[in-house]
């Protein structure tokens, strides 16, 4: 059986599907997104079964979570929660990205800036930020500022350090190439260093955004009971477990979708050669 | 000038020519405690292909990068067209050993990059780049990215890019060392065609004796630790013969042997 298949491949002849399994596997190979769907189906199926057993009375099924989600969208509580949560998140991520990438590039280009700035962010990255989030409340109260600061505290260090490493590891031969064709320092930075550093920079940005989500949830759970964090806390306190899970799952989905969106943005605008792969 | 393949040996006196495009005057270079180049005096004649040849550690790439203005010398002077230079300039173009292509840019943009940096408009860039892409044999690959090309094709992009800025002097740093043997031979033949076509001065670094003898008008042998000029050889080979005949020519084979005798004691 195996040898005959190998022979078939070697001669380049088109094989007829021998059975359903092979036909299926061929279909999956030609359409990779089917694997993604299969993976999610498995996850949600397992969730549904675990909820049906049930493994805990506080663990709802996937279908009841989906229904709860629809209810919360219809009654507007979900929409309003996201309206509150996304404000500090977007603000914090935007500030962290702009500040983080600029600081990172600056540190990557100048040894003195590296000595001055790097230690601060290395300490910040190592520090357990969740412990510092309540301190922010003492200074800035429970408003938008405190939540935004929590996002920045978590997102900024990883973005700065990755951008800086990205610039440090730019291919020196490309920089020499730019110099040999009399590129100015600015052309060198814009046309060579930033594009060459962008994959690592974007990896940092993805980690930073993921950390930003952690920051905003921590702020909403620990400091200011508003937004999605409040939705989770409230439904837990009244034992609406399906609604609580719907809120938790929704923030995971939003986080995943934003990261995937960032990835396609990068491929589209900065590294066009990756689209072709 | 001798007419046979017997090399003209001028170990210490500066090498002169009638119309030097690049003059190297008493160049010294040290990296920390290591003396890479000691008192190099050389002249490169216009329109000729000169090879810097030597075992690893003889400073040939360092010398080329000093001529390119990419590496500063500790002392001495480089003159191009009679003017002293300290950095890279438009009269010199560099071809890199590792190609140094931008992976995010198409062949077209890579070839036109030197012009892009000079602020040449897009239409003109495209016109010039198209011409050189065709000249190096890459027509049809304009919109490909470097990762879609073979090693040999990538270096053709590097060479087209250097041609596109219309420099007087092309500096090639072991351009074929990352290219496989079959492609290298084809490449050497193409290089001779391009030298003939473009009428430019080529300064070529290699560690391959056969390659040096095959392509060069003049070979400068460097000896290692510290890098010094040990010999200057003018191979007398009839370039009008076919590539296979050149490789079987007694003059070619004798020169290869001659150089190997000169280098043998540096190896080990």
């Amino acid at each position: 059986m195996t040898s005959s298949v190998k022979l078939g491949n070697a001669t380049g002849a088109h094989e007829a599907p021998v059975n359903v399994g092979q036909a299926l596997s061929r279909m999956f190979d030609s359409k990779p997104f089917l694997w993604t769907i299969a993976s999610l189906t498995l996850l949600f199926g397992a969730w549904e079964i675990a909820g049906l057993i049930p493994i805990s009375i506080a663990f709802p099924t996937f279908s009841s979570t989906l229904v709860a989600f629809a209810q919360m969208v219809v009654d507007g509580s979900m929409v309003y929660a996201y309206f509150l949560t996304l404000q500090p998140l977007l603000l914090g991520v935007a500030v962290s990205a702009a500040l983080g990438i600029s600081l990172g590039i600056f540190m990557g280009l100048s040894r003195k800036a590296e000595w001055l700035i790097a230690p601060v962010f290395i300490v910040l990255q190592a520090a357990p930020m969740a412990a510092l989030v309540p301190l922010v409340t003492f200074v800035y109260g429970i408003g938008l500022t405190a939540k935004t600061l929590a996002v920045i505290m978590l997102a900024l260090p990883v973005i700065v350090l990755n951008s800086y490493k990205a610039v440090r590891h730019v291919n020196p031969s490309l920089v020499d190439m730019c110099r040999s064709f009399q590129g100015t320092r600015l052309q060198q930075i814009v046309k060579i260093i930033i594009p060459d550093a962008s994959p690592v920079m974007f990896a940092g940005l993805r980690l930073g955004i993921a950390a930003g989500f952690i920051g905003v949830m921590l702020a909403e759970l620990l400091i200011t009971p508003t937004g999605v964090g409040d939705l989770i806390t409230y439904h837990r306190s009244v034992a609406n477990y399906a609604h609580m899970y719907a809120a938790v799952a929704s923030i995971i989905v939003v986080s995943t979708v934003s990261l995937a969106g960032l990835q396609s943005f990068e491929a589209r605008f900065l590294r066009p050669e990756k689209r072709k792969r | 000038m001798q007419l046979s393949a017997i090399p003209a040996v001028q170990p210490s006196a500066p090498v002169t020519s009638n119309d030097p495009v690049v003059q190297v005057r008493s160049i010294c270079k040290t990296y920390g405690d290591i003396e890479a180049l000691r008192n190099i005096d050389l002249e490169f004649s216009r329109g000729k292909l000169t090879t810097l040849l030597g075992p690893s550690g003889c400073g040939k790439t360092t010398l080329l990068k000093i001529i390119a203005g990419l590496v500063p010398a500790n002392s001495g002077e480089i003159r191009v067209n009679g003017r002293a230079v300290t950095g890279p300039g438009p009269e010199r173009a560099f071809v890199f050993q590792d190609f140094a292509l931008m992976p995010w840019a198409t062949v077209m943009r890579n070839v036109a990059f030197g012009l892009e940096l000079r602020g040449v408009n897009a239409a003109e860039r495209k016109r010039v780049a198209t011409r050189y892409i065709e000249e190096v044999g890459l027509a049809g690959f304009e919109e490909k990215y470097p990762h879609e090309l073979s090693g040999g094709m990538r270096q053709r992009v590097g060479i087209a890019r250097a041609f596109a800025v219309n420099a007087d002097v092309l500096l090639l740093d072991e351009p074929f060392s990352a290219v496989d043997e079959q492609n290298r031979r084809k490449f050497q033949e193409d290089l001779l065609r391009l030298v003939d076509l473009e009428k430019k001065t080529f300064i070529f670094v290699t560690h391959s004796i056969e390659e040096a003898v095959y392509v060069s008008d003049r070979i400068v042998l460097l000896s290692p630790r510290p890098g010094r000029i040990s010999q200057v050889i003018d191979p007398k080979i009839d370039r009008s013969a076919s590539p296979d005949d050149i490789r079987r020519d007694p003059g070619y084979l004798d020169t290869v042997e001659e150089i190997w005798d000169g280098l043998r004691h540096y190896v080990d």
Side-chain angles (χ1 to χ4, degrees):
Chain A
M1 170 70 207
T2 347
S3 63
S4 77
V5 169
K6 271 183 186 161
L7 188 66
N9 285 342
T11 54
H14 191 79
E15 293 168 56
V18 175
N19 52 39
V20 182
Q22 276 192 350
L24 252 155
S25 100
R26 197 159 296 141
M27 187 175 81
F28 269 68
D29 283 345
S30 62
K31 296 188 176 69
F33 72 90
L34 286 177
W35 286 110
T36 315
I37 292 173
S39 158
L40 291 175
T41 312
L42 271 174
L43 174 73
F44 295 142
W47 180 354
E48 186 71 29
I49 293 163
L52 283 173
I53 295 174
I55 54 168
S56 153
I57 53 156
F59 191 77
T61 60
F62 172 64
S63 51
S64 59
T65 305
L66 213 56
V67 171
F69 176 77
Q71 276 172 3
M72 286 154 84
V73 171
V74 171
D75 73 14
S77 63
M78 186 67 96
V79 179
Y80 184 63
Y82 270 98
F83 172 70
L84 290 177
T85 299
L86 289 180
Q87 285 178 49
L89 185 66
L90 290 178
L91 209 60
V93 165
V95 169
S96 304
L99 192 65
I101 290 178
S102 328
L103 275 178
I105 291 174
F106 185 46
M107 281 158 66
L109 295 175
S110 148
R111 284 276 169 199
K112 288 185 181 106
E114 178 195 345
W115 292 328
L116 184 70
I117 306 168
V120 178
F121 285 100
I122 290 168
V123 170
L124 282 180
Q125 200 187 24
M129 281 297 171
L132 295 178
V133 167
L135 293 181
V136 175
T137 326
F138 281 115
V139 185
Y140 294 100
I142 55 168
L144 182 64
T145 320
K147 282 164 80 177
T148 309
L149 263 178
V151 173
I152 294 174
M153 279 166 61
L154 272 108
L156 190 59
V158 68
I159 295 176
V160 170
L161 292 176
N162 269 279
S163 306
Y164 143 73
K165 276 182 207 145
V167 172
R168 268 292 140 78
H169 289 111
V170 161
N171 181 354
S173 173
L174 281 180
V175 176
D176 268 357
M177 186 276 288
C178 187
R179 281 176 56 213
S180 81
F181 289 105
Q182 302 101 55
T184 61
R185 183 72 170 146
L186 184 67
Q187 284 176 324
Q188 201 182 91
I189 293 169
V190 174
K191 290 179 188 284
I192 299 290
I193 293 176
I194 292 177
D196 201 39
S198 77
V200 179
M201 253 182 219
F202 268 82
L205 211 51
R206 281 197 290 276
L207 290 172
I209 291 175
F213 271 91
I214 298 174
V216 79
M217 292 319 290
L218 278 176
E220 288 181 350
L221 293 171
L222 292 174
I223 328 172
T224 59
T226 48
V228 182
D230 178 49
L231 220 52
I232 296 168
T233 320
Y234 170 74
H235 287 294
R236 187 187 57 192
S237 66
V238 297
N240 265 341
Y241 295 118
H243 292 74
M244 177 186 116
Y245 271 83
V248 172
S250 75
I251 194 84
I252 295 172
V253 170
V254 169
S255 171
T256 310
V257 168
S258 348
L259 294 187
L262 185 71
Q263 205 153 6
S264 64
F265 170 86
E266 184 206 355
R268 189 166 184 81
F269 293 104
L270 286 164
R271 300 298 294 241
E273 87 277 11
K274 293 207 169 145
R275 259 180 305 165
K276 282 203 176 181
R277 276 188 190 152
Chain B
M1 274 291 160
Q2 287 141 304
L3 292 170
S4 68
I6 296 173
V9 184
Q10 298 166 305
S12 55
V15 182
T16 56
S17 67
N18 302 331
D19 181 18
V21 58
V22 175
Q23 293 161 288
V24 175
R25 296 268 169 82
S26 332
I27 287 289
C28 296
K29 176 71 184 174
T30 52
Y31 289 108
D33 295 338
I34 298 156
E35 194 177 6
L37 293 170
R38 180 184 288 173
N39 217 16
I40 304 286
D41 279 294
L42 262 178
E43 289 190 345
F44 296 91
S45 3
R46 196 176 296 278
K48 298 288 182 195
L49 194 155
T50 308
T51 296
L52 304 174
L53 177 68
S56 48
C58 71
K60 54 193 188 296
T61 292
T62 302
L63 179 57
L64 193 74
K65 288 196 167 170
I66 290 172
I67 295 172
L70 291 171
V71 169
N74 293 90
S75 65
E77 179 180 69
I78 301 290
R79 289 176 162 268
V80 179
N81 291 328
R83 281 215 318 253
V85 294
T86 48
E91 68 294 313
R92 285 155 292 152
F94 204 93
V95 175
F96 290 81
Q97 183 175 8
D98 64 353
F99 320 137
L101 302 181
M102 300 176 290
W104 59 87
T106 58
V107 168
M108 176 60 81
R109 185 165 174 225
N110 267 298
V111 171
F113 192 65
L115 302 171
E116 183 182 330
L117 291 176
R118 288 180 192 176
V120 175
N121 70 55
E124 175 68 8
R125 287 202 310 253
K126 190 169 180 198
R127 193 186 65 75
V128 174
T130 306
R131 180 185 149 199
Y132 287 103
I133 289 170
E134 203 178 306
E135 204 163 277
V136 298
L138 282 179
F141 290 91
E142 288 84 355
E143 296 311 313
K144 297 278 184 209
Y145 288 94
H147 72 87
E148 298 172 292
L149 307 177
S150 68
M153 290 160 90
R154 285 181 208 178
Q155 193 54 291
R156 286 168 195 269
V157 177
I159 290 174
R161 177 176 62 194
F163 278 133
V165 292
N166 195 25
D168 301 332
V169 184
L170 277 101
L171 308 164
L172 299 93
D173 181 16
E174 304 198 25
F176 310 143
S177 67
V179 173
D180 65 66
E181 179 60 30
Q182 289 82 24
N183 269 309
R184 186 153 48 223
R185 283 203 164 199
K186 179 78 177 62
F187 236 125
Q188 291 160 358
E189 288 164 18
D190 286 355
L191 183 69
L192 287 179
R193 182 176 57 80
L194 290 168
V195 170
D196 203 40
L197 192 69
E198 289 290 323
K199 311 274 181 242
K200 293 186 187 299
T201 308
F202 289 75
I203 305 176
F204 187 91
V205 162
T206 184
H207 56 246
S208 159
I209 300 171
E210 284 82 2
E211 183 166 284
V213 178
Y214 182 67
V215 300
S216 313
D217 296 309
R218 165 168 286 184
I219 298 168
V220 176
L221 272 184
L222 297 173
S223 63
R225 285 174 290 274
R228 280 158 304 169
I229 297 169
S230 75
Q231 233 178 348
V232 176
I233 296 164
D234 294 321
K236 293 285 176 283
I237 292 165
D238 178 16
R239 301 268 173 222
S240 60
S242 78
D244 291 328
D245 286 341
I246 294 178
R247 289 198 175 90
R248 271 190 234 109
D249 181 73
Y252 168 83
L253 296 169
D254 288 350
T255 313
V256 169
E257 209 48 44
E258 186 83 44
I259 294 172
W260 171 233
D261 283 341
L263 288 179
R264 177 172 295 185
H265 63 279
Y266 294 119
V267 181
D268 287 329

